[in-house]
Amino acid sequence: MAVTERTTLELPAAIAEPEPLGVFARPRAKRGWRAWVTTVDHKKIGIMYGAASLFFFLIGGIEALIIRSQLAVPNNDLISADAYNQLFTMHAVTMVFLFVMPLAAAFANYLIPLQIGARDVAFPRLNALSFWIFLAGGIFLNTSWFLGGGADCGWFCYVPNSTVTFSPSHGVDFFAIGLLITGTASLVSAINLAVTVLNMRAPGMTLMRMPVFTWMAFITQMLLVFAMPVITVALILLFFDRRFGTNFFDVSEGADPLLWQHLFWIFGHPEVYIIILPAFGVISEIIPTFSRKPLFGYNFMVFAGAAIGFMGWGVWAHHMFASGMGPLSVAAFSVSTMFIAVPTGIKIFNWLATLWGGRIRFTVPMMYAVAAVAMFTIGGLSGVSHSIAPADTQQTDTYYIVAHFHYVIFGGAVLSLFGALYFWWPKAFGYRLSEKLGKWNFWLTLIGFNLTFGPMHVLGLQGMSRRTWTYDRGIGFDGWNLVATVGAFVLALGVLLFLVNVAVSTARRKSQPPVGHDPWDARSLEWMVASPPPEYNFDPIPHVRARDDFWYRKYGEDEFGRAVRIAATDDVVQPGGDRHVHLPAPSYWPLVIALGMPIIGYGLIFNLWLVVPGLLLVVAGMYGWSIEPPDEPEHTGPAHQEAADQPDGPGDSGGAGDESGAAEVSSASGEEAPVG
Amino acid sequence: MAETATATVSSQAALGHEAGHDPHATRTGISNTKLAMWLFLASDCLLFGALISTFLIYEGRLPAGEIGKEIFDIPFTSVSSFVLLMSSLTMVLAVAAAHRGDARNTRLWLAATATLGSVFIGGQIYEFTVFYREGLGFTTSIFSSAFYTLTGFHGAHVTGGIVMLVSLIVLSLRGKLPMEKAETVEIVGLYWHFVDVVWIVIFAVVYLVP
Ligand code: HEM
Ligand SMILES: [Cu+2]
C-alpha cells in the first residue's frame, strides 16, 4: 500500500523571482564551495558541524597525546610545566566546547527536522549563523597558540589562578572571549532547535511520538537556553577583571572566589548533561533498531531524560565539596547528587530490557552503542562514589576524577556519537562506511580507551593528583602511567582508523551497490526519505499515526506479537526526485556577521580600536540580513497544504504531552488521501 | 486579507521559514518568532539573575569606609523609573494600534516609547557621571563594579530595545509593516515589557532595599 502517494509538487508559475538588489540579492549557488558557505539547509549545516568538530577532535587528540607522552615516564621534561598547563586546559576546552558539543549539534541539526517530519528548522538563516559563529569562535580560541599561548587555568579556570596576577599571558582572555563567542552560537542554535521541535512537527507527530533522539536533543537545547547566560556572566566578570581592572575576584577588595565557582558550576553541571543527553538519545535510536524491538519503556525514557534535565540544576555544588563551603551545603548537595543516579539507572535498565529477547544484529553502530552503555555505567558508578562527600575529599583532584569523567564523556558520549556516525552516515551521504574497517576502528578504540583510562582509577587512588606535570621515580606511579600512555596511542590509532574508513569507503562508493533509503531496516521518519535526502526533506509531509511510524508502515504484528511484514520498504519510502519545492534561498550574511565576532574579540584583547571594524562588520551583516529579499514561500500552492490530523494509530499509548498543537491546518485541496 | 491568510497558512505549515504570520500554522499556536522571543527572554532572566545575585553578594562585603548605597539619589531614579514604566504603557498602545491596522498611531506610540526609553537612558548616563564625579568609578570597589555592570547591562538592553523600536518606525514608514505584521510590534513589545520588569526588580533590590 503506497501510503504517500506523490502528487504533483510543482508550484504554480506565479512565484515571482525577487528582484536582485546588487549585493543584497540572495546567492543562488547550488553546488561547489559557494553553496556550502551560503547554505541555509539544516542538513548541510549539520554536516559542516560534524566536519568542524572532527577537525577539532584531532587537535584535542594531539594535545592529549602530548600530555600522555609527557607522563609516560617519571621525571620527564619533554615539555615545560607551563606548556603542560596550557595543553591540558586547551585539550579540555577543545574536547568539551569544540568537539563533543558541536558533534552532538551536528546530529541535532541534521536529524531533528527529519525525525519530526519538517522541511527545515524554524529559522534556517539563524541556523547557518550559529554554525559560522561556532567555527569562528573555535578558530579564535586556537589562534591563542600563536598569540602568546593558550589558557593555563584548567577548563573551569578557577579564580584566582585565572586572574592577571597568576596568569598574565593572554591565554585566559582568549578563553573568556572564545567561550563567549561559541556560547552565543550555542544559545542561538538552542532557541532555534527548541522552536523547531515545539512548532514544526508534522501532523500527528505529538510530543509523545517523537523519537527519543529528538527528545533528548530538545532537553539539551532547553538546558543550553538556561545554562549559557550563567557562564556568560561569569566570563564577562572575569574578563572585566583582567582587562578593565574591576575587582570581582580580587579577594583583597572583599571579593569572594567562590562566586566564580558557583557561577561556573551552575553552568558546568548542566553542561555535563548537555554533553551526555544527546548520546543517550543516540543509544535509544540504535539499540531498538538493531534489536528489532521498540524501545522498552519509552515514557520512562523521556521522563527520565526530563528529570535528569531538571535535577541537574540542583546539584552543581558537588563540584565544590573541597572548597570549604560548609557542612550543611555539602550534605545537601551530596544527597541531591545521589538522586540523579535514579533516572540514569532507569535509562540503563530500559536499554537492557530493549536488548532482552531482541533479534540482535551486531553491526558497528550497535557495537558502539552497547559499549557506550557499558563504559558509561562504569563512569556512572565512580560518579556515585564522588557524591559521597567524605570519599570525594579523597578523590577530588586526583586521577580518579580524570578516569571518571573520561569514562563518562569519552566512554558514554563519544563512543555513542561514533556509533551515530556509522549509523546515519548512509543516510547523509548515500553510502555505507566499511563494516570491516569499522570493527577494527571499534575494537582498537575500545581497548585503547580502557587501557588509557582504566589505570587512572588506580593512579588516582594511589594519590597521583590531577594536573601533575611530572612525578618522581619509585613512588608507584611508573607502571600504570606507561600503560596509560601506550593505551592512548592505541586509542589514537583506533580513532585514525575512522578517518581511514571514511577515505576508503568514499573511494569505493562508486563500486558498491547503492545503500537505499533504509539500509538498517530502521524505525523513525528520517529513513523514509531518500539517502541523501532531497533538500526539501519530505515529499509530501508525512502523516504520523504512531510512535516509530515508519516501522509500522512496514510491519504489523501477528497473534504472538511478532513483527510481520505488511509492506515492502520500497512502497513506503519516498524516493525523492527533482522537485521544485520552494525553500528559503541561501544567504551569505550569517558568514559576514560571524566574521565580525572574532575581530571584536581580538580588539577587546589587543587594541580597542580593532573593535570598530568588527562591530561594523556585525552591524553591516545584520543590516544586509534584514533587507535581503525574504525569498520566502509566501505563495505556495495547495500542493503544500496538509491534510487533517489522523486519529491515534497503532502502537501509540496515547501519551501525555503535546495536545496544545492539536489545531491542525485542514486541507481544502484534499490532495493527500487520508491513510489508514 | 482573507487571501493572505490562506497563503500563509499553507506555507507556514509546509515549509520551515522565518517570519511567522499565522499562529495557527504552528503546533503550539504561537508563531516561531514569538516563541523564540519567549525562549530568549527566559534565557535572559538567568543573565540578570546571575548579575543581580553577584550584586547582592557583593554589596554586603564592601569594606567599611568605602562609598556604598548612600550615594544613590532615590528621588531622581524614581522619576526615571517612572518614565520607563510609562513607556510600557505607550508600548501597549502601540501594539493595540498595530492590531487595529492603524499605522499612524502605531508609529506615534512607538516613537513615544522610544522617546521615553531614551529619557531613561539619558537619566542613567547623567546618574553615572554624577556618581563618577563623587568618586565611584567602575573599578573603585567590588560594589561599584557590580553596580555598574548590572545597571550597565540593563541600559544596554534598553538601548537595544530603542534600536528595535526605531527600526519598526522606519519599516512602517516604508510601508513594510502592514497589518499582518502587527505581530512584529507585539514581539518587540514583549521584549520591552521584559526589560521594564527587570528594571523594577533592579530598582527595588539595588536602590530601595536598604
Ligand atoms: C583522545 C583521548 C584522550 C586522552 C588520551 C585524554 C587524556 C587526558 C589526560 C591525561 C588528562 C589529564 C591532564 C592532567 O590533569 O594533567 C585529560 C584531561 C581532561 N580531558 Fe581528556 N583525554 C582524551 C579525550 C578527552 C575527551 C573526548 C574529552 C571530552 C569530551 C576530554 C576531556 C577532558 C577534560 C575535561 C579534562 C580535564 C582538564 C582539566 O583538568 O582542566 N578528554 N585528558
Ligand atoms: Cu556535576
Side-chain angles (χ1 to χ4, degrees):
Chain A
M1 171 186 62
V3 278
T4 50
E5 53 270 54
R6 289 209 279 126
T7 34
T8 166
L9 270 177
E10 262 75 35
L11 292 168
I15 292 190
E17 289 289 304
E19 317 235 308
L21 282 163
V23 67
F24 298 113
R26 295 190 79 141
R28 297 260 161 209
K30 289 261 178 233
R31 238 162 258 106
W33 64 272
R34 275 205 198 83
W36 286 93
V37 297
T38 58
T39 189
V40 295
D41 174 8
H42 73 98
K43 296 180 288 300
K44 282 194 167 151
I45 291 169
I47 290 171
M48 291 196 291
Y49 258 113
S53 67
L54 287 174
F55 167 71
F56 288 121
F57 184 42
L58 290 186
I59 297 184
I62 292 170
E63 285 157 0
L65 289 182
I66 303 177
I67 298 175
R68 277 315 324 168
S69 307
Q70 161 66 22
L71 292 174
V73 290
N75 299 321
N76 200 359
D77 56 1
L78 178 73
I79 50 173
S80 69
D82 179 39
Y84 187 88
N85 289 345
Q86 296 177 28
L87 277 169
F88 75 70
T89 304
M90 288 300 285
H91 158 73
V93 172
T94 306
M95 288 298 190
V96 170
F97 296 104
L98 308 181
F99 165 55
V100 178
M101 280 171 74
L103 186 55
F107 287 104
N109 261 297
Y110 199 96
L111 292 173
I112 288 179
L114 285 170
Q115 289 199 329
I116 62 173
R119 294 222 187 273
D120 204 331
V121 294
F123 305 98
R125 277 188 300 176
L126 275 187
N127 203 20
L129 178 68
S130 49
F131 168 72
W132 293 112
I133 294 182
F134 146 68
L135 188 63
I139 294 174
F140 174 84
L141 260 170
N142 274 288
T143 55
S144 64
W145 287 117
F146 312 107
L147 296 169
D152 55 1
C153 46
W155 85 286
F156 38 65
C157 233
Y158 279 171
V159 295
N161 281 347
S162 50
T163 57
V164 218
T165 327
F166 298 103
S167 184
S169 81
H170 278 302
V172 179
D173 299 325
F174 274 97
F175 173 92
I177 302 288
L179 291 192
L180 283 173
I181 295 177
T182 53
T184 314
S186 302
L187 182 66
V188 171
S189 113
I191 292 180
N192 195 351
L193 292 177
V195 173
T196 305
V197 171
L198 291 172
N199 265 356
M200 315 274 294
R201 282 166 286 130
M205 178 60 82
T206 61
L207 285 178
M208 291 314 276
R209 286 176 187 168
M210 282 196 318
V212 178
F213 175 79
T214 294
W215 249 115
M216 294 305 122
F218 172 64
I219 296 171
T220 306
Q221 310 311 324
M222 293 310 286
L223 287 176
L224 279 167
V225 164
F226 292 113
M228 286 337 281
V230 185
I231 181 94
T232 302
V233 168
L235 292 168
I236 287 173
L237 300 187
L238 179 64
F239 189 77
F240 280 1
D241 263 17
R242 293 179 52 91
R243 291 267 75 82
F244 303 138
T246 53
N247 315 297
F248 288 107
F249 303 115
D250 185 347
V251 182
S252 65
E253 289 279 337
D256 184 349
L258 282 192
L259 176 69
W260 171 269
Q261 296 197 18
H262 280 296
L263 289 178
F264 186 89
W265 288 115
I266 288 175
F267 152 81
H269 190 82
E271 167 71 16
V272 309
Y273 297 120
I274 290 167
I275 292 174
I276 202 68
L277 283 176
F280 285 175
V282 166
I283 298 175
S284 305
E285 300 290 310
I286 293 180
I287 287 189
T289 300
F290 295 109
S291 308
R292 302 178 71 75
K293 277 177 64 192
L295 182 70
F296 185 85
Y298 173 95
N299 293 308
F300 278 105
M301 281 310 219
V302 169
F303 287 121
I308 293 175
F310 277 113
M311 290 159 82
W313 293 94
V315 304
W316 77 90
H318 63 207
H319 296 269
M320 299 161 61
F321 285 158
S323 68
M325 46 174 194
L328 194 66
S329 333
V330 169
F333 280 103
S334 181
V335 172
S336 64
T337 302
M338 288 178 210
F339 276 120
I340 289 227
V342 176
T344 317
I346 291 180
K347 289 202 163 262
I348 293 175
F349 284 112
N350 278 336
W351 288 321
L352 294 182
T354 308
L355 287 164
W356 187 270
R359 302 223 314 275
I360 297 176
R361 285 177 289 163
F362 271 108
T363 59
V364 175
M366 181 66 159
M367 292 162 93
Y368 269 111
V370 172
V373 175
M375 297 303 116
F376 178 80
T377 308
I378 299 179
L381 288 176
S382 61
V384 174
S385 86
H386 304 312
S387 71
I388 304 160
D392 185 70
T393 25
Q394 296 300 311
Q395 295 154 6
T396 192
D397 283 331
T398 70
Y399 259 77
Y400 191 84
I401 285 277
V402 180
H404 155 70
F405 67 66
H406 282 93
Y407 266 87
V408 174
I409 311 186
F410 197 116
V414 181
L415 286 186
S416 50
L417 287 172
F418 266 93
L421 283 169
Y422 277 91
F423 187 58
W424 279 291
W425 194 277
K427 177 51 60 191
F429 299 106
Y431 62 94
R432 249 187 243 243
L433 293 176
S434 150
E435 284 276 305
K436 197 160 146 235
L437 276 171
K439 286 194 174 145
W440 278 97
N441 173 200
F442 168 76
W443 283 112
L444 278 179
T445 307
L446 187 69
I447 294 170
F449 166 78
N450 278 293
L451 274 181
T452 313
F453 300 109
M456 290 187 189
H457 290 111
V458 185
L459 285 169
L461 293 178
Q462 283 176 346
M464 177 163 162
S465 54
R466 173 184 193 177
R467 300 170 182 172
T468 298
W469 165 57
T470 191
Y471 50 91
D472 279 334
R473 191 178 305 280
I475 51 175
F477 295 166
D478 318 16
W480 286 124
N481 266 309
L482 189 59
V483 174
T485 302
V486 172
F489 280 90
V490 175
L491 176 54
L493 193 68
V495 171
L496 275 184
L497 271 184
F498 176 76
L499 297 184
V500 172
N501 195 349
V502 171
V504 169
S505 309
T506 311
R508 273 202 217 137
R509 72 164 183 260
K510 293 264 155 51
S511 59
Q512 304 286 320
V515 282
H517 311 300
D518 180 26
W520 312 113
D521 200 5
R523 313 181 70 86
S524 41
L525 281 186
E526 73 269 29
W527 303 100
M528 206 168 93
V529 299
S531 314
E535 206 189 337
Y536 49 81
N537 291 353
F538 291 96
D539 164 24
I541 297 287
H543 291 262
V544 177
R545 289 158 307 144
R547 194 175 289 154
D548 286 339
D549 190 66
F550 178 51
W551 175 264
Y552 290 109
R553 290 176 189 225
K554 297 184 290 183
Y555 291 93
E557 281 181 359
D558 67 9
E559 65 269 34
F560 305 109
R562 286 176 308 210
V564 285
R565 270 270 175 200
I566 51 168
T569 306
D570 282 344
D571 289 338
V572 288
V573 295
Q574 300 184 347
D578 201 13
R579 312 243 131 216
H580 302 285
V581 179
H582 199 67
L583 290 169
S587 167
Y588 43 80
W589 298 112
L591 186 61
V592 173
I593 298 178
L595 269 179
M597 304 196 74
I599 299 181
I600 298 179
Y602 289 121
L604 285 172
I605 294 178
F606 293 110
N607 182 341
L608 282 180
W609 284 109
L610 208 58
V611 172
V612 178
L615 264 181
L616 280 179
L617 217 57
V618 171
V619 172
M622 290 177 168
Y623 182 71
W625 175 304
S626 61
I627 80 163
E628 96 183 324
D631 202 358
E632 272 159 9
E634 308 265 3
H635 319 283
T636 30
H640 294 269
Q641 288 186 354
E642 301 174 14
D645 200 353
Q646 297 296 307
D648 280 6
D652 184 80
S653 50
D658 195 64
E659 282 69 66
S660 53
E664 281 304 326
V665 184
S666 45
S667 159
S669 71
E671 160 279 310
E672 268 186 54
V675 198
Chain B
M1 176 50 213
E3 185 194 312
T4 20
T6 21
T8 43
V9 165
S10 58
S11 64
Q12 258 290 295
L15 301 164
H17 76 102
E18 312 203 9
H21 314 291
D22 189 310
H24 299 294
T26 67
R27 301 283 302 188
T28 55
I30 305 171
S31 78
N32 287 344
T33 337
K34 201 193 251 179
L35 192 57
M37 179 55 91
W38 277 115
L39 284 170
F40 170 74
L41 295 181
S43 175
D44 234 23
C45 277
L46 274 103
L47 185 98
F48 281 108
L51 287 169
I52 292 174
S53 317
T54 306
F55 178 85
L56 287 180
I57 294 172
Y58 277 2
E59 69 169 344
R61 289 172 164 257
L62 186 66
E66 298 223 33
I67 308 179
K69 281 189 165 182
E70 65 283 353
I71 197 171
F72 293 152
D73 181 355
I74 306 284
F76 178 85
T77 319
S78 304
V79 172
S80 69
S81 305
F82 181 73
V83 169
L84 194 64
L85 262 188
M86 285 303 105
S87 76
S88 260
L89 186 68
T90 52
M91 190 72 223
V92 170
L93 293 170
V95 173
H99 277 300
R100 282 198 313 272
D102 178 350
R104 230 195 89 237
N105 275 316
T106 310
R107 284 197 292 272
L108 193 78
W109 290 120
L110 286 174
T113 314
T115 312
L116 291 174
S118 311
V119 170
F120 172 81
I121 291 294
Q124 195 172 39
I125 294 174
Y126 169 78
E127 190 185 55
F128 281 7
T129 40
V130 171
F131 292 166
Y132 183 73
R133 255 188 264 122
E134 291 184 28
L136 194 74
F138 183 37
T139 61
T140 308
S141 65
I142 54 174
F143 170 83
S144 73
S145 301
F147 169 76
Y148 284 115
T149 308
L150 170 58
T151 48
F153 260 88
H154 181 264
H157 273 74
V158 177
T159 312
I162 296 173
V163 172
M164 290 190 226
L165 292 171
V166 173
S167 315
L168 283 184
I169 298 172
V170 172
L171 277 181
S172 167
L173 282 174
R174 284 170 47 201
K176 291 242 172 91
L177 207 64
M179 200 173 148
E180 8 0 322
K181 296 225 168 141
E183 192 185 42
T184 317
V185 180
E186 202 182 320
I187 290 169
V188 172
L190 279 180
Y191 176 86
W192 192 261
H193 296 316
F194 170 80
V195 172
D196 280 4
V197 171
V198 168
W199 178 255
I200 301 304
V201 177
I202 294 178
F203 182 56
V205 300
V206 174
Y207 289 81
L208 296 184
V209 175

